[in-house]
Amino acid sequence: MGDGSHARGPDDLTGAHRRAERAEAPVGGSVGGPAGGPAASGDGGGGGEEVWGDGLIARRVDENAGAEQFAVLPSRPASSSAALMPLAYDGNLRSRLDALRELVGLSRTRLDSATLAEAGRVLDEAAARRRLSGQHTVVAIAGATGSGKSQLFNTLAGVTISETGVRRPTTAAPIACSWSDGAASLLDRLGIPGRLRRRPLQHPDSESPLRGLVLIDLPDHDSAAVQHREQVDRILALVDAVIWVVDPEKYADAVLHERYLRPMAGHAEVTLVVLNQVDRLPGEAAEQVLDDLRRLLDEDGIALGEHGEPGAAVLALSALTGEGVGELRETLGQFVAERQAPARRIAADVDAAARHLRPVYVAGRRTGLSEEAREEFADRLADAVGATAAGEAAERAWLRNANRACGTPWLRLWRWYHDRRDPITGRLSTRAQTDEEATARQRVEQAVRTVADRASAGLPAPWALAMREAAVRGAQGLPEALDELAVRAGLPPGRPPRPGWWPVAVLAQATMTLLQVVGGLWLLGQIIGVVPPNLGVPVLLMVAGIVGGPLIEWSCRLAARGPARRYGHEAERLLREAAAGCGRARVLDPLAAELLRYREVREQYARVTGAGLATGAGAGAGAAAGTATR
């Protein structure tokens, strides 16, 4: 905005300074006399002396004479003995920064660098700001073209420092004005050269109510020059606080609200919004515009709450007439005197980084592997390894052994003859074994996919992907390991163990056979005349042996069902436990490790947000991970 008088830029002031020196040198001597030290020029602030530009010279206009008069302001270089206190963060902010640093370290193998870039930038900027002065507060004045921010900058400084006028854009580079010494390193961090560093024409450092303030006049955020907008974005990310200057015509500009105010709603405590040029609004129009501005800011989430919640202060003023500037100066004085803006800005940056990272750390619901999911996984592996079939085979083997031990000799002889007459070729069993192996492999793969999906359900995408990758790695070689396990944990070599009643049954069966033989020989002797005829006794003996043998075999078969069933169940249990142990070691334990890792980063994220230890989803993940390792 123009202020009715033309103000020269820094280069014009430099030329005017040189002309003034040449004009005054023959009369008043050197300009660098006791009345005012020469303004130093340079691009840095190194060494023990700060470097400031020629903005220490303010141009005045004598309306009567019509000639330009110049006032030379004294330059006060920083004393090399003056020790500036570095910025100190309180315990809560330090804890949050440590948690964010730990969170980034734990997440590097799970999240891409682009996701962690903002958090890394916040950590770097927090460390850089902490090493610098804690006695200064860097405040940027930002606004759109024609909003009058440069005019407000000059009014606060009490001297024409930043050029104003009708030409757009007017401010081409950020200009700094410091109310006290020791701010050179802060301005070096902002990349503002020494030729663009100024001093105000007001009170001495010890008396200024704005002592410690470093004010930055930024280029227009809506400038047509891309480099101007880039400078605005770069410096806004580094300063401690921002004063947004809006005018009655462009206070509702969508670019301002959507690109800056709304995304930085979390920085409301270090934001001031100034409605400038209220002198152009008649009657109650200023209050109406101010109310509408507060409404828009409230929609952006940045306005001061009705009950004193943290938010942006909103002021109305006129930089041209000075109306409301005193209130702004008082607000800035209190703001700078508190010396809390740098820490609040860092805390707001941490909050913004936490909000950015929330989708990759906060689960939508309780996560982890339930007991039911783990049991189902073990059952699937047991089916794949054939635990049920192995148990049934063990039961049949036990029964077959019992039949062989307790059966009649004639029946065992018949079975032996039948086995020799019809030997098993094995061709069909080979085909069946090949198909069974392929089916078992498919079952194992399906079991791994199912348990991985259940373990990753509800987790943020990066951690869900890590869970699936861990399951896939564990599944490599699992079918082969289960096959080897089935061989080792299968039926023991040799015959199944015999119960104590087997010898009695075998003796009884032998007795029945002996009765048959004795009865048969007795009858044969009667037939050939060796033994006196007596059919009753030998026939009775033979009938007792013939009937008693099958009866004993049938009784032994009934008695063997219980032990055979227990023997089969034990064989199945051993194979199931072995398969479950193999699956736990190769799949469930890696999944549990990933869940524990997620719990750890979730707890660190909770510390970053200031919520303390993780609850809900994070605690559920930890509990599930703990039980998965049992």
Side-chain angles (χ1 to χ4, degrees):
M1 284 294 301
D3 56 358
S5 63
H6 177 71
R8 299 186 183 182
D11 296 336
D12 295 336
L13 289 173
T14 302
H17 186 192
R18 292 172 180 170
R19 290 193 299 271
E21 287 180 344
R22 288 195 298 268
E24 295 180 3
V27 178
S30 173
V31 178
S41 61
D43 292 346
E49 180 177 332
E50 296 194 56
V51 181
W52 300 95
D54 49 21
L56 296 177
I57 303 175
R59 178 175 58 82
R60 305 289 179 81
V61 178
D62 189 338
E63 296 180 355
N64 296 328
E68 294 182 351
Q69 305 293 330
F70 297 92
V72 182
L73 303 183
S75 174
R76 295 177 296 277
S79 173
S80 59
S81 61
L84 293 175
M85 295 293 294
L87 180 62
Y89 299 144
D90 59 22
N92 181 49
L93 182 54
R94 286 201 307 270
S95 176
R96 295 181 64 192
L97 288 171
D98 292 341
L100 182 59
R101 188 175 297 105
E102 185 71 15
L103 181 67
V104 171
L106 291 172
S107 305
R108 291 192 185 279
T109 58
R110 296 296 179 268
L111 304 179
D112 56 272
S113 57
T115 304
L116 298 174
E118 178 61 19
R121 186 197 69 80
V122 170
L123 290 173
D124 292 342
E125 297 303 335
R129 184 63 181 91
R130 185 177 185 179
R131 290 191 295 266
L132 302 178
S133 171
Q135 302 175 14
H136 292 80
T137 302
V138 183
V139 180
I141 298 183
T145 302
S147 61
K149 57 183 176 56
S150 297
Q151 192 174 49
L152 178 60
F153 179 83
N154 294 335
T155 301
L156 290 174
V159 59
T160 302
I161 295 177
S162 185
E163 182 182 0
T164 62
V166 297
R167 179 173 57 88
R168 299 288 182 262
T170 304
T171 305
I175 301 175
C177 182
S178 175
W179 269 255
S180 59
D181 296 331
S185 55
L186 288 169
L187 297 177
D188 289 341
R189 176 170 174 257
L190 299 179
I192 299 179
R195 61 185 176 83
L196 297 178
R197 303 179 186 184
R198 307 290 187 262
R199 287 290 177 79
L201 178 61
Q202 287 190 345
H203 307 281
D205 287 353
S206 59
E207 301 177 5
S208 174
L210 299 181
R211 174 175 172 81
L213 174 64
V214 180
L215 199 60
I216 311 295
D217 183 22
L218 296 180
D220 303 329
H221 71 78
D222 58 350
S223 172
V226 177
Q227 61 271 24
H228 293 181
R229 300 196 300 269
E230 292 176 349
Q231 288 190 75
V232 171
D233 295 342
R234 178 181 62 83
I235 295 182
L236 284 179
L238 300 177
V239 295
D240 301 328
V242 183
I243 300 176
W244 285 100
V245 181
V246 297
D247 58 72
E249 286 82 11
K250 300 173 69 174
Y251 71 91
D253 182 48
V255 175
L256 171 64
H257 289 270
E258 295 178 4
R259 184 177 179 184
Y260 293 102
L261 295 180
R262 195 167 300 163
M264 297 192 69
H267 295 72
E269 287 189 275
V270 290
T271 302
L272 282 79
V273 180
V274 172
L275 176 62
N276 192 19
Q277 303 174 10
V278 293
D279 57 299
R280 298 171 51 194
L281 298 173
E284 298 179 355
E287 287 297 329
Q288 295 175 357
V289 172
L290 196 61
D291 291 341
D292 192 47
L293 173 60
R294 288 195 177 98
R295 179 187 62 80
L296 293 174
L297 294 176
D298 187 60
E299 293 177 357
D300 294 334
I302 201 172
L304 187 65
E306 296 180 358
H307 303 286
E309 298 91 342
V314 182
L315 302 176
L317 55 80
S318 172
L320 180 63
T321 64
E323 177 187 355
V325 176
E327 184 181 358
L328 174 60
R329 194 186 302 275
E330 181 180 354
T331 302
L332 278 176
Q334 295 176 355
F335 192 73
V336 172
E338 292 176 356
R339 296 182 180 177
Q340 295 298 317
R344 290 175 182 171
R345 170 60 196 259
I346 296 300
D349 287 345
V350 174
D351 290 338
R355 287 193 298 271
H356 175 72
L357 293 175
R358 179 180 176 82
V360 298
Y361 289 116
V362 178
R365 58 182 178 85
R366 188 181 181 90
T367 59
L369 277 175
S370 64
E371 188 70 25
E372 179 183 359
R374 291 191 297 275
E375 290 179 355
E376 181 180 349
F377 178 67
D379 291 341
R380 287 175 178 268
L381 292 185
D383 292 341
V385 82
T388 302
E392 294 174 352
E395 182 178 354
R396 289 193 300 269
W398 206 97
L399 288 174
R400 185 167 53 252
N401 195 27
N403 291 336
R404 288 175 179 175
C406 303
T408 62
W410 322 117
L411 183 59
R412 284 188 288 174
L413 182 62
W414 167 255
R415 288 173 179 168
W416 173 80
Y417 172 74
H418 186 270
D419 292 342
R420 288 187 54 125
R421 183 178 177 182
D422 298 324
I424 299 176
T425 60
R427 287 176 294 179
L428 295 178
S429 62
T430 302
R431 174 69 177 176
Q433 182 178 4
T434 303
D435 294 340
E436 185 177 351
E437 289 179 356
T439 303
R441 181 177 293 274
Q442 293 175 358
R443 288 178 178 176
V444 171
E445 294 174 353
Q446 180 63 28
V448 172
R449 283 195 299 268
T450 301
V451 75
D453 290 341
R454 293 196 175 187
S456 59
L459 286 175
W463 304 99
L465 179 61
M467 294 289 289
R468 295 188 183 95
E469 291 177 349
V472 170
R473 289 193 301 269
Q476 294 177 355
L478 181 59
E480 292 77 8
L482 290 175
D483 291 341
E484 182 180 352
L485 185 67
V487 174
R488 288 201 316 268
L491 296 178
R495 294 181 177 181
R498 299 182 178 185
W501 52 265
W502 273 26
V504 178
V506 172
L507 180 60
Q509 193 67 262
T511 302
M512 295 299 104
T513 303
L514 182 61
L515 289 177
Q516 296 179 43
V517 172
V518 171
L521 292 176
W522 197 335
L523 287 176
L524 181 61
Q526 291 181 10
I527 294 174
I528 64 178
V530 177
V531 179
N534 185 5
L535 295 177
V537 176
V539 170
L540 182 61
L541 291 176
M542 289 187 64
V543 170
I546 292 172
V547 175
L551 183 62
I552 291 174
E553 181 179 357
W554 178 76
S555 300
C556 290
R557 183 176 299 174
L558 289 180
R561 288 182 179 180
R565 187 177 299 109
R566 289 192 294 273
Y567 179 72
H569 287 171
E570 180 66 14
E572 180 181 355
R573 183 187 66 80
L574 293 176
L575 193 54
R576 281 181 176 275
E577 289 182 352
C582 183
R584 181 171 57 252
R586 287 177 171 267
V587 178
L588 292 185
D589 285 351
L591 291 179
E594 287 296 332
L595 285 172
L596 289 174
R597 188 183 184 94
Y598 171 71
R599 180 191 183 189
E600 185 176 1
V601 299
R602 183 66 180 85
E603 291 175 349
Q604 293 296 334
Y605 178 78
R607 288 180 57 200
V608 171
T609 60
L613 294 178
T615 57
T627 55
T629 58
R630 290 203 298 263

